[in-house]
Amino acid sequence: MPVTTNRANLVLELFDAYYKRVYCFTRKSLAPSAAEDIAQEVFTRLLTVNALEEKTITSSYLIKIADNLIKRRYNKDQRKNQYIDSQREEAIRDLRKHHTSEPEWSTSQITKALAMLPTHERDAVRLVVCEGLSYEEASASLGVPVSTVNNWKYRGINKLKQHAESTEIKNIA
């Protein structure tokens, strides 16, 4: 839907009149930056409302939009956390399965194997697998997005598995 000057001016007037109320409502549930994002998105979405010019927009209407956006964001975060947790549990199961079928490694062997990894992968494996931090905690610690921590940990574990398999073959031969 094209944004006309009339529509843009109407949304700007609503923004001037109700932004503070919408922001205060979102701030009750969210951190300042997230509350500001939601409050701004409320008014951005108004630009696409059908027949906006014929409607009477109240603060409660805008707050309901904000409430729905907060709920969607929460549900999306929950789904993301469930996925990350399931990936972590799968990695732990894989490690345990591999661990039970293999002889135990000494601390020095583990240290040597971890030392072969690039620093970022070693840190991700150490924080998430060895120390049991959540992906969010590891992300904050390393200063990178959660998805990056997940990728680094996945690559690091795969390299460790390959190293373990090649070591096993050398020991058998």
Side-chain angles (χ1 to χ4, degrees):
M1 163 180 286
V3 178
T4 63
T5 304
N6 188 30
R7 178 177 286 259
N9 288 335
L10 178 58
V11 171
L12 185 57
E13 288 173 18
L14 292 168
F15 181 87
D16 289 339
Y18 296 118
Y19 177 80
K20 188 173 182 177
R21 285 187 197 169
V22 173
Y23 175 77
C24 288
F25 171 79
T26 59
R27 186 62 184 94
K28 290 178 182 177
S29 302
L30 302 171
S33 62
E36 189 173 325
D37 289 346
I38 294 289
Q40 289 177 5
E41 188 172 344
V42 166
F43 293 97
T44 302
R45 287 183 178 241
L46 277 181
L47 292 170
T48 63
V49 170
N50 289 330
L52 178 67
E53 294 81 4
E54 289 89 43
K55 293 183 178 183
T56 302
I57 305 297
T58 63
S59 62
S60 61
Y61 178 81
L62 299 173
I63 287 172
K64 185 61 181 170
I65 293 173
D67 186 48
N68 288 337
L69 291 172
I70 291 169
K71 288 175 184 173
R72 275 192 214 123
R73 177 179 279 202
Y74 174 79
N75 289 333
K76 182 180 174 185
D77 287 346
Q78 289 299 99
R79 287 190 304 272
K80 179 183 77 171
N81 289 339
Q82 287 173 350
Y83 173 75
I84 290 171
D85 289 344
S86 72
Q87 292 297 305
R88 181 176 182 210
E89 289 169 9
E90 183 179 326
I92 290 170
R93 277 194 305 274
D94 287 349
L95 285 173
R96 285 185 179 147
K97 185 173 104 178
H98 186 70
H99 178 72
T100 56
S101 63
E102 297 293 324
E104 278 194 35
W105 284 20
S106 68
T107 304
S108 65
Q109 288 173 310
I110 293 171
T111 303
K112 286 178 186 175
L114 285 171
M116 295 174 15
L117 297 176
T119 305
H120 59 279
E121 291 175 3
R122 180 175 53 245
D123 290 343
V125 169
R126 180 180 52 80
L127 292 172
V128 175
V129 178
C130 300
E131 295 181 18
L133 267 64
S134 70
Y135 283 89
E136 289 82 6
E137 293 167 330
S139 167
S141 175
L142 297 172
V144 296
V146 171
S147 59
T148 302
V149 172
N150 189 23
N151 289 333
W152 287 349
K153 184 220 52 151
Y154 177 81
R155 288 186 203 132
I157 287 176
N158 281 341
K159 288 176 185 175
L160 290 173
K161 285 179 183 178
Q162 290 172 353
H163 175 71
E165 290 168 0
S166 69
T167 304
E168 176 186 318
I169 292 170
K170 289 178 188 174
N171 290 341
I172 292 173

